[in-house]
Amino acid sequence: MRRIVLCIDDYALRPGVDAAVLELAARGLASATSCLVGSPRWPAAAAALRAADTSRLDVGLHLDFTEAPFDGSLRHGLGDFITRAYLHRLPAQRLAAEIRAQFDAFEQAMGRAPDHVDGHQHVHQLPGVRERVLEELARRGHARCWLRGTAVPAGEAGLKPRLIAALGGPALRRRARRQGARTSGHLLGVYDFGGDAARYRALLAGWLARAQDGDVLMCHPARADASGSAGDPIASARLTEYGVLAQDLPALLAAAGCTLAPLLRAT
C-alpha cells in the first residue's frame, strides 16, 4: 500500500470548507489540512479543530499573501505577486514580519507548532518568500515541520502542474535540504477546477494511480453553506470535489492500492 497525504486547503476560508474538512477527516478521508490564519473565521475554526480528533490529521499553515495577509500592503493578485518576487521587489523585512505573524496566529490558536507549511496559490516556494519561511522555521526550531513540494509526478499531463513546479519547487527543495528541513514528494491534484463529478472522479483515479509514498494530493472541497459562492471563484468546483471525495474516495483508494496518512507517519 502506498501512503499518501490528502490535504484539504483553505481551512477557515468559509463555513462550508471547514465543515468538509471536519467531516472528511473524521471519516478518515483526509490526512492533512492547511489553515488560512488571516481569515476572520480563524479563531472559531481553530477551536473546532482543537475539539476534533486530529490525531491522524496534519494541521498546517497555509501561508497567504493574496487573500488576507495581516499586512495589507503585501496583498497582491497572484500574477503581480509572482512578478514582484522574481524582480526582487518584495520587501524582505515586511515579508519576514508577516510570515512570523502568521506562524504566531497559528500557534496561539492551536497551542502548538504547525505540522507543515505550504502556500495559498503556492506562494511559499517563490524567491524571497521561501528564504524567509525557512529562516522562520529555523528560528522557531520547528525541525519536524514539513514543507509542501511541487514536483510533478511521472505521467502527469498538462501544463499547469509544470508551471507551478517551475515557479520555485526545485529551489525550495535544495534550500530545505541544506537546512535539514523536510519536503513532501510529488504534488498531485492540480487541474483547472473545471468539469463535472465524472471528470473529477477520473482525475482523482489518475492521481492515485501515479502517487508514490509521501506524495501530497491537494484538494479544495466544501459543503454548501449560506455564504454561497460570493467571492469564491472555485465555489462550484469545491462542491463537486466534496461530493466525489465523500462518496467515491474509499473505493478509489482501494482500487489504486493507496492509503491516507499524515506525512509525519507516511515517511
Side-chain angles (χ1 to χ4, degrees):
M1 297 289 284
R2 287 162 292 139
R3 296 167 298 174
I4 67 167
V5 179
L6 190 144
C7 183
I8 303 177
D9 286 359
D10 302 339
Y11 185 79
L13 177 67
R14 27 178 282 230
V17 174
D18 301 353
V21 169
L22 294 171
E23 177 200 335
L24 294 172
R27 294 175 56 193
L29 300 179
S31 55
T33 191
S34 297
C35 304
L36 286 166
V37 300
S39 166
R41 290 187 44 77
W42 171 238
L49 270 179
R50 292 197 310 271
D53 178 7
T54 59
S55 60
R56 296 288 295 169
L57 188 75
D58 275 353
V59 181
L61 171 61
H62 203 42
L63 192 67
D64 172 36
F65 288 98
T66 61
E67 190 78 35
F70 294 112
D71 183 347
S73 70
L74 292 171
R75 181 181 180 183
H76 299 283
L78 180 60
D80 187 23
F81 193 81
I82 292 171
T83 299
R84 288 171 182 264
Y86 273 88
L87 292 177
H88 304 288
R89 291 174 54 195
L90 294 175
Q93 289 187 340
R94 292 215 301 272
L95 275 176
E98 177 66 26
I99 290 167
R100 186 166 301 171
Q102 292 192 32
F103 268 93
D104 286 343
F106 182 99
E107 294 179 13
Q108 288 164 9
M110 292 299 295
R112 63 178 181 84
D115 293 312
H116 68 270
V117 178
D118 54 37
H120 188 53
Q121 299 177 309
H122 315 288
V123 295
H124 67 296
Q125 64 177 348
L126 294 174
V129 181
R130 59 183 177 247
E131 292 87 354
R132 307 291 87 76
V133 171
L134 284 161
E135 287 167 3
E136 190 63 21
L137 285 175
R139 191 183 75 84
R140 291 174 183 260
H142 292 345
R144 287 177 59 79
C145 183
W146 57 271
L147 295 161
R148 181 189 286 177
T150 56
V152 181
E156 185 78 0
L159 181 60
K160 187 175 179 180
R162 287 160 178 78
L163 285 175
I164 290 172
L167 287 171
L172 174 66
R173 188 174 297 276
R174 287 193 300 270
R175 193 175 185 96
R177 186 182 297 118
R178 289 198 299 270
Q179 186 172 305
R182 293 195 307 159
T183 56
S184 59
H186 303 102
L187 179 63
L188 306 154
V190 180
Y191 74 117
D192 60 5
F193 297 108
D196 59 8
R199 184 193 179 217
Y200 187 71
R201 190 179 302 111
L203 289 170
L204 190 54
W207 294 324
L208 292 172
R210 291 188 288 277
Q212 299 178 22
D213 243 29
D215 286 354
V216 170
L217 197 165
M218 70 170 180
C219 54
H220 303 80
R223 294 176 58 174
D225 62 44
S227 69
S229 59
D232 188 350
I234 64 168
S236 178
R238 291 186 194 277
L239 295 174
T240 298
E241 290 189 25
Y242 167 73
V244 173
L245 291 168
Q247 179 173 323
D248 300 321
L249 182 58
L252 291 171
L253 286 167
C258 290
T259 189
L260 302 184
L263 190 70
L264 291 175
R265 288 170 284 279
T267 59

